[in-house]
C-alpha cells in the first residue's frame, strides 16, 4: 500500500504540471508595454520648422531657425522679419488674413514695442540686403507665418488644417523649449 502511494504522487504532480502548462498556453498574450513617444530635440525642431515654413509658404522665402529665433527673408516684399521665441505669448493663433484662402499663424510677443522680440527691416544696400540680422529694425507686435492653401486631391483629407496644426504644434514645442510663456489673459477668459 505504501508503494502504490509513492508511485501515485509523481503521477499527480505530472498531471498538475501539464494542466498548468495548457492553461498558460490558452491565456491571451499580454499586450506590449506602451512605448512613450520621445519629444524632438531643439535641433531637430529647428530643422523641421525651417523646412516646413519654407515649403508651406507660397511666397519665395528663406527661413533661418536658430537659437530660439526665426528669421524669414521675404524676397518679393524685400523685407526680413525676425521673431525671438523667448518673448512669445502662447497660444499661437491660426487665422485667415483679409478673407484669403491661406491659413496664417500669428506669433504674438509680450514686449511688442521694444524691438527685441519681434521686428522687421526693409532690405537695402546699407544693411547688406537683409543677409544678416543686424542693423536698425522696426518693432512689431507680432509676426505672421503663412500656410498656403491647397485643394485636396482626396475629398475630406483637410491637408490645410493638418499642415496648420502640425506647424502650430512644432512652434509651440520649440517655444516652450525656449522658455515662452502662456498669456495670463488666456487663463482668465
Amino acid at each position: 500500500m505504501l508503494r502504490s502511494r509513492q508511485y501515485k504522487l509523481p503521477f499527480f504532480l505530472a498531471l498538475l504540471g501539464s494542466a498548468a502548462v495548457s492553461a498558460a498556453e490558452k491565456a491571451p498574450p499580454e499586450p506590449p508595454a506602451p512605448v512613450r513617444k520621445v519629444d524632438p530635440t531643439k535641433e531637430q525642431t529647428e530643422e523641421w520648422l525651417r523646412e516646413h515654413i519654407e515649403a508651406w509658404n507660397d511666397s519665395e522665402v528663406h527661413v533661418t531657425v536658430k537659437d530660439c529665433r526665426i528669421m524669414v527673408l521675404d524676397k518679393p516684399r524685400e523685407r526680413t522679419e525676425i521673431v525671438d521665441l523667448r518673448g512669445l505669448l502662447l497660444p499661437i493663433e491660426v487665422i485667415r488674413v483679409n478673407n484669403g484662402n491661406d491659413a496664417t499663424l500669428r506669433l504674438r510677443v509680450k514686449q511688442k514695442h521694444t524691438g527685441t522680440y519681434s521686428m522687421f527691416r526693409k532690405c537695402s544696400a546699407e544693411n547688406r540686403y537683409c543677409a544678416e540680422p543686424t542693423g536698425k529694425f522696426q518693432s512689431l507686435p507680432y509676426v505672421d507665418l503663412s500656410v498656403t492653401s491647397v485643394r485636396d486631391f482626396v475629398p475630406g483629407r483637410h491637408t490645410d488644417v493638418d499642415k496648420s496644426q502640425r506647424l502650430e504644434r512644432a512652434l509651440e514645442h520649440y517655444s516652450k523649449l525656449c522658455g515662452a510663456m502662456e498669456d495670463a489673459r488666456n487663463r482668465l477668459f
Side-chain angles (χ1 to χ4, degrees), residues 91-159:
I92 294 168
E93 298 163 342
V94 181
I95 59 174
R96 291 204 188 277
V97 178
N98 300 327
N99 294 325
N101 292 327
D102 300 345
T104 300
L105 279 80
R106 181 155 286 178
L107 311 177
R108 296 179 304 121
V109 293
K110 61 184 173 186
Q111 295 177 355
K112 56 188 173 186
H113 298 297
T114 63
T116 305
Y117 292 107
S118 179
M119 56 197 88
F120 80 93
R121 175 177 59 192
K122 282 286 198 183
C123 300
S124 67
E126 299 93 51
N127 60 27
R128 300 182 191 174
Y129 297 98
C130 294
E132 297 176 11
T134 58
K136 285 187 129 186
F137 289 88
Q138 271 68 40
S139 60
L140 290 171
Y142 60 86
V143 167
D144 287 344
L145 300 175
S146 294
V147 176
T148 303
S149 66
V150 296
R151 184 170 290 166
D152 288 327
F153 183 74
V154 178
R157 183 163 283 175
H158 308 294
T159 305

Side-chain angles (χ1 to χ4, degrees), residues 45-55 62-65:
T45 308
E46 287 173 346
E47 184 65 21
W48 191 95
L49 283 170
R50 185 190 61 74
E51 289 175 358
H52 287 73
I53 292 170
E54 284 181 359
H62 175 72
V63 178
T64 305
V65 183

Side-chain angles (χ1 to χ4, degrees), residues 61-76:
V61 295
H62 175 72
V63 178
T64 305
V65 183
K66 190 174 181 181
D67 299 328
C68 297
R69 290 166 61 110
I70 297 176
M71 184 171 84
V72 179
L73 171 58
D74 188 339
K75 292 180 183 178

